[in-house]
Amino acid sequence: MIIISIHIFPFEIDRLERLLMYLNDCFLYVDLNKTEILLHVTLNKNENLLKSLSSNDDKFIELMKKVKCETFYEIKNDNKLLGVNDHRRKTIQISEQDDQIIFLDSDLFFNEKILAHQIKSIDFLKKKHEFYIISPNTIRLWDKTWDILTHELYINHSFSFHKKANFYNIVNQNYGMISLQKINKFKWGGGWFNCISANLLKSIGIPKSFKGYGLDDTFVMECCKLIKKEKGDVSQYILKNMIVCEDIRIDTKKYFKENAPNFKEFCNKRFKHELSSFLISYKKETI
């Protein structure tokens, strides 16, 4: 099974509508009788975090009913769900060892054929590796550390190119034959249509101390490095010529209360401890 995992707040409902439209287009290229897909979506209405809880719950439910694959969706009105890390932990929990997980951000733009190519890649890599990550190309972002994901046509653009790029046009261009390219590093963005083997995410997990949001993708990357250093079988591949873009120009801070916790800061404080704990646990399991 492939589990596609999405977490949204009320102000992201229109973005979810666009995202689900894109996904339904993806399903046109997938035989849903042969490939089992579950869409796991949570609408988070935590009143301790948000300035406004106004959203159309009926619209959310109607959107989910229009999805062409199996769905598992929830509207969370209590204050226990703090953010995307909590939702992603739930996704990992409900997955089986031989599943694959795709985390999606609501502001992501992607090509309608990406899922079909991910499925084809899964069929190849699950016979080759115990753990694997399949990531699409991106445009140029932020700094050189992201260049390993950058498509060759965008590698010479400025680091601020994403601020003015036409995402829809970029993801829907034909860049040539789609192929898998193995890379010697681990690098990806958390909700960028990466396909990750569920057994890897179950082995690593998202630490419970990582409340709300922040550093879940970085933590898994660093754990992959440790696994590889310990001679574990984990590899990342690029889905070459398939590009995704995230609209990071959107300002979301205005929707949250001024006294909302800085979850990323909490994660930073716990990061080294959680990484050490994982390494100890992994060594014990592999003895």
Side-chain angles (χ1 to χ4, degrees):
M1 177 188 287
I2 298 173
I3 305 177
I4 301 174
S5 177
I6 304 169
H7 167 277
I8 67 163
F9 288 107
F11 59 84
E12 297 176 293
I13 191 74
D14 290 337
R15 291 178 227 165
L16 176 68
E17 183 173 16
R18 177 191 59 80
L19 196 73
L20 296 182
M21 180 180 69
Y22 279 20
L23 278 177
N24 276 333
D25 288 343
C26 285
F27 296 146
L28 296 175
Y29 298 90
V30 175
D31 188 344
L32 294 175
N33 292 316
K34 293 183 179 179
T35 302
E36 191 176 2
I37 297 175
L38 174 66
L39 185 63
H40 177 208
V41 184
T42 299
L43 171 59
N44 186 350
K45 300 178 69 176
N46 188 325
E47 63 180 4
N48 288 345
L49 302 176
L50 299 161
K51 288 181 179 178
S52 172
L53 298 178
S54 61
S55 70
N56 189 336
D57 292 1
D58 291 336
K59 180 178 180 179
F60 174 75
I61 294 170
E62 286 304 310
L63 287 175
M64 297 308 302
K65 288 180 179 179
K66 293 178 182 178
V67 177
K68 296 176 182 177
C69 70
E70 182 183 352
T71 60
F72 167 38
Y73 59 91
E74 300 176 286
I75 299 174
K76 289 290 189 178
N77 291 295
D78 58 42
N79 299 325
K80 295 180 180 179
L81 189 71
L82 298 178
V84 66
N85 283 354
D86 304 307
H87 169 80
R88 289 177 178 175
R89 269 192 291 269
K90 179 71 173 289
T91 299
I92 296 169
Q93 178 186 354
I94 66 174
S95 69
E96 301 290 340
Q97 287 287 340
D98 58 349
D99 289 341
Q100 294 80 34
I101 295 174
I102 295 172
F103 295 131
L104 277 187
D105 290 333
S106 65
D107 52 4
L108 195 74
F109 287 74
F110 51 88
N111 187 279
E112 61 188 6
K113 295 183 180 179
I114 187 172
L115 182 59
H117 285 288
Q118 288 279 28
I119 292 169
K120 185 178 179 180
S121 301
I122 291 166
D123 291 340
F124 172 73
L125 292 180
K126 68 182 180 182
K127 300 173 185 176
K128 188 176 179 66
H129 297 290
E130 180 181 7
F131 305 129
Y132 54 84
I133 306 100
I134 310 165
S135 299
N137 276 138
T138 65
I139 56 176
R140 197 118 198 252
L141 294 166
W142 301 310
D143 58 59
K144 287 186 177 180
T145 64
W146 295 94
D147 283 356
I148 195 166
L149 298 177
T150 305
H151 190 274
E152 57 191 20
L153 287 183
Y154 300 98
I155 197 67
N156 292 321
H157 284 64
S158 71
F159 293 126
S160 61
F161 173 68
H162 62 277
K163 295 180 180 180
K164 59 183 178 180
N166 186 320
F167 300 140
Y168 181 83
N169 288 346
I170 288 172
V171 302
N172 288 300
Q173 286 184 46
N174 184 348
Y175 296 95
M177 185 177 68
I178 310 299
S179 61
L180 279 176
Q181 176 186 358
K182 189 175 181 181
I183 58 176
N184 59 3
K185 295 182 179 180
F186 297 102
K187 191 72 171 179
W188 66 84
W192 292 358
F193 222 117
N194 310 285
C195 182
I196 306 176
S197 55
N199 58 348
L200 174 62
L201 290 172
K202 282 182 169 293
S203 176
I204 295 173
I206 300 173
K208 291 183 179 179
S209 65
F210 286 17
K211 300 181 184 299
Y213 66 87
L215 301 187
D216 59 308
D217 48 1
T218 306
F219 182 76
V220 176
M221 284 181 245
E222 291 300 317
C223 289
C224 284
K225 292 178 185 178
L226 294 175
I227 291 173
K228 197 163 188 176
K229 189 174 182 180
E230 295 295 318
K231 309 301 181 183
D233 181 16
V234 56
S235 294
Q236 183 177 353
Y237 287 77
I238 299 296
L239 202 57
K240 189 176 180 182
N241 291 329
M242 186 59 67
I243 297 179
V244 300
C245 297
E246 184 181 19
D247 193 354
I248 50 182
R249 299 169 294 196
I250 301 171
D251 179 21
T252 59
K253 292 180 181 178
K254 61 184 179 182
Y255 297 105
F256 295 96
K257 292 181 176 179
E258 292 181 4
N259 62 347
N262 187 335
F263 292 119
K264 195 170 183 179
E265 184 178 304
F266 296 159
C267 295
N268 272 317
K269 289 179 180 179
R270 296 290 300 174
F271 194 88
K272 288 184 179 180
H273 171 79
E274 294 294 356
L275 205 58
S276 297
S277 297
F278 168 76
L279 181 59
I280 293 169
S281 175
Y282 181 77
K283 285 183 175 180
K284 285 182 180 178
E285 291 176 1
T286 53
I287 291 176

